[in-house]
Amino acid sequence: ADKRYVEDTFGASPTDVRVYVTAPTRGDDVVSKAILNDLFDAAGVVQSATTTWNGETLTYDNRCLKSDGTNCAVMSVLDWWGNDRATMNADTDLYATLSGNAYDVYGDLIPKAQVMGGITYDSNGNISKVEVFQYILRCRVEDSLRTDDRVKEWTKVAAEDVLAYTPSDSKVYPYSFGIQQEETSSNIQGDLRKLIFGFFLLFLYAGFVFSSNSQIHSRVAMVLVSLIAIALAIISSFGVASMIGQKWNQVVNLLPFLLLGLGIDDSFVIVDILKKTPAPLTMTDAEDIVMSRVPRTMARAGASILVTTLTDMVAFFVGTSTILEGLRAFCVFA
């Protein structure tokens, strides 16, 4: 709702294609001509990305954001050499150049922290080490659209092309709006398949535990009822958490698997105590036997289930106070 309000009020924001370049060994310095040449190559891969969408050809030139109507909104460490490879290769002191200022294509000063990470300065305030370079290309979204499928498609292709590129002296990590959407969807679908498979395995296991050679003492049907109850609990918890505005994240995907184990455990407790709670020997009527055993079973099992449930609730309630966003969301949904 908040995202929609912002987009309706201010228009859909441009989306980015980003390329991160690090040294082969994590934490090493990336200030070298070899690594900068790899960044030039990766930028060239982005600029050459081409695909089609509903018969329309999508290219770097027609997908990039042009705030001045002419120049693409690109920002990277390459701006320190005017995006010219020859100038960079002719530079005799890369550190001195990076310690100075640079401006983007619109003449705005580029904050070093926006295109460089892990910066170390010497005693004179000059850069002595950088751990990562970043390349940022902003893409335009049509004003009349909340989301632009053309941007999704082109940025996905651009990121995939960079991913397929093999640098000579560095490691390259692409990111784009399109590829993020695809990976998120793929992860959700994968988790859903695992959840269904988990329900199936739990059904087989519980069915084996509850089964018996005697049709009278076999309680396989209870397995199905238990799984339905667990599924309804998962759906209701997600629904209530979403209704109160709790944001979902990838950590919450683990919750159904946890609830599966906690839910079926209560069924095991009830069945085990039911087996240990016989009816009085004087009873012969089936209905009287049921009315005698079930209340006494639930009186014993209920206390155990109540204590474990309250313990879980307190643990999750305490977890909602954490400053870790992912863990807090997980506890709220639970």
Side-chain angles (χ1 to χ4, degrees):
D2 293 340
K3 179 175 181 293
R4 178 170 295 182
Y5 169 77
V6 172
E7 290 176 343
D8 288 341
T9 305
F10 303 105
S13 60
T15 55
D16 299 342
V17 174
R18 297 173 182 249
V19 178
Y20 302 92
V21 178
T22 68
T25 302
R26 184 175 180 179
D28 283 358
D29 195 2
V30 293
V31 182
S32 73
K33 292 182 180 180
I35 292 179
L36 285 167
N37 274 305
D38 284 344
L39 181 56
F40 270 109
D41 291 339
V45 171
V46 173
Q47 294 168 12
S48 63
T50 303
T51 187
T52 57
W53 181 84
N54 286 352
E56 179 182 355
T57 301
L58 307 179
T59 65
Y60 170 87
D61 186 64
N62 61 34
R63 287 302 95 207
C64 71
L65 175 68
K66 298 179 180 179
S67 298
D68 63 356
T70 303
N71 298 297
C72 290
V74 180
M75 184 187 302
S76 77
V77 70
L78 304 180
D79 286 301
W80 267 255
W81 295 275
N83 288 287
D84 184 74
R85 188 192 295 260
T87 301
M88 186 278 296
N89 284 320
D91 193 338
T92 57
D93 192 342
L94 299 178
Y95 293 100
T97 301
L98 290 175
S99 297
N101 293 326
Y103 301 86
D104 62 19
V105 291
Y106 307 123
D108 297 323
L109 180 67
I110 301 176
K112 292 182 176 65
Q114 249 187 312
V115 294
M116 291 180 272
I119 304 175
T120 301
Y121 294 92
D122 62 20
S123 58
N124 296 319
N126 297 318
I127 291 178
S128 60
K129 179 183 177 182
V130 179
E131 295 183 10
V132 60
F133 289 141
Q134 179 178 213
Y135 168 95
I136 306 171
L137 167 67
R138 306 199 73 184
C139 299
R140 67 184 181 90
V141 176
E142 298 297 330
D143 294 338
S144 61
L145 300 176
R146 181 168 286 112
T147 57
D148 192 338
D149 289 336
R150 290 171 293 187
V151 171
K152 290 182 182 179
E153 181 63 25
W154 185 82
T155 57
K156 178 175 73 71
V157 170
E160 288 174 346
D161 288 350
V162 174
L163 196 61
Y165 161 67
T166 303
S168 302
D169 300 278
S170 63
K171 290 185 177 180
V172 175
Y173 304 95
Y175 164 85
S176 76
F177 175 71
I179 204 168
Q180 178 196 18
Q181 294 288 317
E182 186 176 80
E183 287 298 317
T184 300
S185 176
S186 176
N187 289 336
I188 292 174
Q189 292 176 6
D191 288 341
L192 182 60
R193 288 192 293 268
K194 292 176 183 177
L195 180 61
I196 295 173
F197 185 63
F199 265 88
F200 177 71
L201 288 181
L202 198 56
F203 176 80
L204 293 181
Y205 173 70
F208 174 77
V209 173
F210 289 169
S211 64
S212 172
N213 293 329
S214 170
Q215 293 184 356
I216 296 176
H217 297 95
S218 180
R219 299 177 177 84
V220 176
M222 185 175 177
V223 179
L224 183 60
V225 175
S226 299
L227 292 179
I228 291 175
I230 294 170
L232 292 176
I234 294 173
I235 293 172
S236 62
S237 68
F238 276 56
V240 171
S242 299
M243 182 179 66
I244 63 177
Q246 176 58 51
K247 295 180 180 179
W248 175 91
N249 60 59
Q250 292 285 356
V251 180
V252 178
N253 284 354
L254 301 174
L255 185 59
F257 302 98
L258 173 64
L259 296 183
L260 271 177
L262 293 176
I264 204 66
D265 179 67
D266 292 340
S267 300
F268 289 153
V269 171
I270 293 172
V271 171
D272 180 63
I273 294 179
L274 180 64
K275 290 179 179 179
K276 299 175 181 178
T277 308
L281 296 177
T282 56
M283 286 188 179
T284 57
D285 182 73
E287 184 175 346
D288 290 340
I289 292 175
V290 171
M291 294 302 295
S292 171
R293 296 181 68 192
V294 170
R296 287 186 293 143
T297 296
M298 295 309 298
R300 295 173 59 191
S304 175
I305 293 173
L306 177 63
V307 171
T308 56
T309 301
L310 288 177
T311 302
D312 294 337
M313 288 180 61
V314 171
F316 288 130
F317 180 77
V318 172
T320 61
S321 63
T322 180
I323 61 174
L324 301 176
E325 179 64 29
L327 180 58
R328 181 168 64 251
F330 178 85
C331 292
V332 171
F333 273 88

